[in-house]
Amino acid sequence: MSNSFDEHASKYDTWFMENTNVLLSESRLVAKTLEGSDNILSVGCGSGLFEKILKEDFGINISEGIEPSIGMAEIARKRGMKVDVTTAEEGDFGNGKYDTILFNGSPSYISDLKPIVEKAFASLPEGGRLILIDVPKESGYGMMYNLAKAIGSWQHPLLNGVAPANPYP
């Protein structure tokens, strides 16, 4: 399976390392949402950067993930994760195996989220948790990124003076 994320796998980690305030605040948010979770599946785990930070800094172990990008999955595997290279649509959510299923930043990349959420929720045991974390499209940050995506570039008069110096890849 190949996609545009394969071409930019290392750029994602680099971006977060250069934008440490975003990385640290998002890591704290994710850690807070995962309090009390024991067996977690990360859907769209990317390179496993957040999973690595959660383990090292917060004692939260996420050892399994689903990721459609081969390049990203390879990096996550080097970080010790077991990663199935597949999409959320095709992936196996464990049918009761996980007490928590986490979508950290991946919901905006899923074209039809409703059936994926239903599938994930149905696979949880009683009392299990489904956690979706993403930048809301209606937020200032979300609108700016959606505008750049619709225009196909950050180089547009509508984005002059507001485009980040180093936009997320």
Side-chain angles (χ1 to χ4, degrees):
M1 178 175 297
S2 177
N3 62 41
S4 62
F5 287 105
D6 288 335
E7 300 169 26
H8 306 290
S10 65
K11 289 182 182 179
Y12 287 92
D13 282 6
T14 300
W15 186 89
F16 274 110
M17 297 312 216
E18 291 173 356
N19 293 275
T20 55
N21 286 342
V22 176
L23 176 62
L24 295 175
S25 65
E26 188 173 336
S27 296
R28 287 184 194 115
L29 170 68
V30 175
K32 186 69 176 167
T33 65
L34 293 174
E35 286 179 355
S37 296
D38 292 317
N39 198 7
I40 306 163
L41 174 67
S42 180
V43 180
C45 65
S47 67
L49 176 63
F50 281 93
E51 291 77 3
K52 177 182 185 283
I53 291 169
L54 290 167
K55 183 175 185 175
E56 293 175 355
D57 295 353
F58 300 95
I60 298 170
N61 187 28
I62 305 173
S63 59
E64 296 183 46
I66 291 173
E67 172 57 43
S69 164
I70 294 169
M72 295 281 220
E74 287 174 1
I75 296 169
R77 286 177 180 144
K78 288 177 185 173
R79 290 185 164 139
M81 289 187 70
K82 178 183 177 245
V83 182
D84 290 331
V85 178
T86 188
T87 63
E89 292 83 358
E90 299 296 322
D92 178 6
F93 292 171
N95 196 25
K97 178 178 178 183
Y98 306 101
D99 67 5
T100 303
I101 298 177
L102 171 68
F103 292 75
N104 179 25
S106 56
S108 62
Y109 298 104
I110 299 170
S111 58
D112 190 3
L113 190 57
K114 186 176 188 277
I116 303 307
V117 169
E118 290 171 348
K119 172 183 163 183
F121 185 76
S123 71
L124 288 167
E126 186 174 331
R129 298 187 308 155
L130 177 59
I131 299 172
L132 289 88
I133 301 172
D134 213 344
V135 176
K137 288 183 179 184
E138 65 276 5
S139 72
Y141 206 59
M143 286 190 289
M144 182 174 54
Y145 271 78
N146 280 313
L147 177 59
K149 181 179 177 183
I151 294 169
S153 171
W154 285 100
Q155 309 306 315
H156 190 279
L158 290 172
L159 294 167
N160 285 347
V162 295
N166 182 12
Y168 188 70

